[in-house]
Structures are given as C-alpha cells and as structure tokens.
Amino acid sequence: MSPRPLRPARARRDAQPGSPARPVARLPLVAAAVLAAGLTAACGTSSPPVGAAAASVAGPSSEASSSDAASATASASASAAGQASPSTSPPAPPSTSASTPTGSSPTPSRTRTATPTRTPSQPPRTSAAPAPARIPGPGYDSSVGQAQVDAALRAAKADGRMVLLDFGANWCGNCKAADKVFAQPQTAALLGESYHLVKVDIGGSSSAASALLRKYSPGGGSYKMPVLVVLSPSGTVRTDTHATGNPSLTAEGLNSFLRLWAS
C-alpha cells in the first residue's frame, strides 16, 4: 500500500473543529530581516543628520556671518527708508493773511503810528513862558492901598510868584537909591520873573497907608525906609526888613535879597 501525503492530512487535522492549535513555527531569517528594517525606518536612526552636523561644525563663525549680513541688510533698509521718507523739517506756519474765523479773537499786532512831520511853514510848538510881572516906575503913589495888595496876592496865587511890598516916601533918599537899582536891567528882570511889586507911600498923612504898614510889619516904633516885606501867595509874611534890617541898597545887595526870597 502506498504512503499518504503528509500535507493533506495536516490540512484535514487543522480543519477539524475542536482540535488544539499547533504552535507557530519560527519565522525564517529573511522575514526577520525585513521586520528589523521596517522598525528602523519607523523609529529613525540615532546618528545626527548630515545637515545638523554641518551646522554644528560651522560654530560661531557662521553665526557672526549671519549677524553681519543682518546688520548690512538693516543698514541698507534704513538708508532706503531715509531716501524714500519725506523731509522731517516742521511744516511752515499758516499765513497770517488768512481770514480769521468768525467768533475767534485774532492776536492784535503792534503797529507804529507815523509821527506827523512838520512842514517848514509850521513853527514848532513851544510852551510860552509867563510874561514878566509889571514893575511900577520910580516914586510912590499915595492912592495905592489894600486893593492893590489884594490884586497882587491873587496874581501870585495864579502864577506862583511872591509879592514884594515896598513902603517908602518920595522924599526919602534911600528910597530913591532903591528905585534906581530896581530900574537896572538885571534887577528889573529878577523882579519881573519872581515878584509882583507894590509900592506904598507912607511919607504923607494917609491913615490907610499907615494901617497897611502896621498890618504887614507890626514891629512898631520908628521905621527906617524903605521897608521891604515879602509875602507868599497866601499872604504870609516871609521876611520884613523892619525886623531884620535893610540889605545894601546896591545892585549886588538888592539882587542877593531878591534871589534869596524868590522861592
């Protein structure tokens, strides 16, 4: 009898239900090699890639080259931006000739007022000096009394001059000497500039003249003529030669006296 082939019998044995599983046979060497190659491809190798090795070998020099290149690129970009950007100068202020909006208050501008020029036909304006006071002539008028003194005081209040009372007589030699000095130009200028002169005749029998003398020179006794009394514009006696004595009746003496009491 011929022997049966083994494989069909194994197939039948495997196909039978309830038969125990046979252990799996070891894989051939070729299959193991294929499996190892697949695992290696999936997990990767432990050796570094070629590009990483090249970067690590380059080291600091490569980084310096990269920074230099970056700086050069930044400089070029800044230069290009500077050329392309507009000027940084501040914009010009708006013109002042533009109209001011309604409701706003424009800043006032200082304008110079032109000084009017005087034509040759127009004389320059000057403040006129007050006219000199009137100086009575030589001698004494017996009709002069309190009314003339009051008028002189009113004029003194208006122009600030003093009032000079000259009590004398037409027969008095000293009074005539004083009259000659009062007529001289320099003394007359002093009198007209600073005094209102009132000459009162006390050489006669006029009681009004005597009362006027005692009012402004109340010393009493005998009077040595002329008696010179200086009054302020308010009527106050500033000096009385009956009490102080007469100055020298010369140009020098009377001019010094007039200058002393003029202000």
Side-chain angles (χ1 to χ4, degrees), residues 109-141:
S109 59
R110 295 182 179 179
T111 57
R112 295 184 177 179
T113 304
T115 304
T117 57
R118 297 182 182 274
T119 59
S121 60
Q122 296 176 347
R125 296 180 180 180
T126 56
S127 58
R134 188 187 70 85
I135 302 172
Y140 295 88
D141 187 356

Side-chain angles (χ1 to χ4, degrees), residues 41-131:
C43 298
T45 59
S46 60
S47 60
V50 178
S56 62
V57 171
S61 60
S62 299
E63 295 176 358
S65 300
S66 299
S67 62
D68 294 341
S71 299
T73 304
S75 299
S77 300
S79 177
Q83 295 177 358
S85 61
S87 174
T88 58
S89 59
S95 174
T96 56
S97 62
S99 60
T100 304
T102 305
S104 62
S105 58
T107 302
S109 59
R110 295 182 179 179
T111 57
R112 295 184 177 179
T113 304
T115 304
T117 57
R118 297 182 182 274
T119 59
S121 60
Q122 296 176 347
R125 296 180 180 180
T126 56
S127 58

Side-chain angles (χ1 to χ4, degrees), residues 202-216:
I202 58 173
S205 58
S206 173
S207 58
S210 298
L212 195 61
L213 173 64
R214 289 191 297 270
K215 177 180 179 179
Y216 292 105

Side-chain angles (χ1 to χ4, degrees), residues 19 89 143:
S19 60
S89 59
S143 65

Side-chain angles (χ1 to χ4, degrees), residues 170-197:
N170 291 324
W171 47 262
C172 171
N174 288 338
C175 299
K176 293 179 181 180
D179 277 345
K180 290 181 180 180
V181 176
F182 288 159
Q184 294 180 8
Q186 185 178 8
T187 307
L190 286 174
L191 283 172
E193 180 182 356
S194 303
Y195 294 91
H196 293 279
L197 176 60

